Amino acid sequence: MDNKAREKVFQDHIIAALEASGWLVGSSDKYDREHALYTEDLLAYVKETQEDGWLKFCKIYGEQPEKHLVNAAVRQLRGADKGTLWLLRNQIEDRGVRLKVATFKPDHDLNPELLNRYKANRLRVVPELVYSPNDYDGRIDLTLFLNGLPIATLELKSCFKQSLENAKNQ
């Protein structure tokens, strides 16, 4: 068995284990390379967990509120002293509307709404993610998302013929 075949078996095993734990499996063609988001999950999470806030956001923007939400998220991600972890801990703030993009596990179950929002988190693994908005066809073996935001990448290597330095370069 060659290295690529070994890597594929390992990759499939990881995906199966994640899927068995409730993770969704995505595809590279649904990834928004321009904004570096899995927008389907971001939009679904906000709409499902914050109906009032979403309706207010739609009322403000009228046409194409989804596009405006994605742009607002990207502004928060690219802002000075902000980024993915900041946005996961805080919220999108746009024209007076505040929308959370994730809910961490509550310390207790006394607040059912908070518990439901936590359970609505969308965890997704995308194999062989083509990430560049340019024509470059680089791929990441596995990318992990929380509600559409990329939170980790995994570059799989076989220990027989591939080096750690090769993985770092990729």
Side-chain angles (χ1 to χ4, degrees), residues 110-163:
L110 298 176
N111 184 339
E113 181 183 339
L114 194 58
L115 192 59
N116 288 336
R117 283 173 61 174
Y118 167 71
K119 290 178 181 177
N121 281 328
R122 292 171 172 260
L123 299 169
R124 185 176 299 274
V125 58
V126 179
E128 301 300 327
L129 180 74
V130 178
Y131 57 88
S132 176
N134 304 317
D135 290 334
Y136 176 69
D137 194 32
R139 296 174 186 274
I140 299 172
D141 290 339
L142 294 173
T143 306
L144 306 179
F145 292 85
L146 170 58
N147 298 330
L149 279 69
I151 55 170
T153 60
L154 291 81
E155 189 60 38
L156 308 176
K157 296 293 169 207
S158 113
C159 62
F160 299 106
K161 300 231 178 191
Q162 297 173 312
S163 70

Side-chain angles (χ1 to χ4, degrees), residues 37-139:
L37 297 169
Y38 209 90
T39 54
E40 169 187 324
D41 289 348
L42 174 63
L43 295 168
Y45 176 78
V46 168
K47 289 176 183 180
E48 180 182 337
T49 62
Q50 299 154 87
E51 186 176 347
D52 292 343
W54 175 246
L55 291 174
K56 185 177 177 183
F57 194 83
C58 290
K59 188 174 182 180
I60 291 169
Y61 280 105
E63 292 185 29
Q64 299 180 325
E66 291 88 357
K67 176 184 168 187
H68 290 285
L69 180 66
V70 168
N71 289 337
V74 169
R75 279 193 304 275
Q76 299 290 329
L77 289 167
R78 293 183 181 163
D81 300 326
K82 295 187 179 175
T84 302
L85 187 56
W86 183 92
L87 184 54
L88 289 171
R89 289 179 174 165
N90 293 282
Q91 58 202 358
I92 294 172
E93 294 185 29
D94 190 311
R95 295 190 179 187
V97 179
R98 291 184 173 100
L99 298 167
K100 301 285 279 176
V101 298
T103 301
F104 293 100
K105 186 174 183 178
D107 293 333
H108 50 75
D109 58 357
L110 298 176
N111 184 339
E113 181 183 339
L114 194 58
L115 192 59
N116 288 336
R117 283 173 61 174
Y118 167 71
K119 290 178 181 177
N121 281 328
R122 292 171 172 260
L123 299 169
R124 185 176 299 274
V125 58
V126 179
E128 301 300 327
L129 180 74
V130 178
Y131 57 88
S132 176
N134 304 317
D135 290 334
Y136 176 69
D137 194 32
R139 296 174 186 274

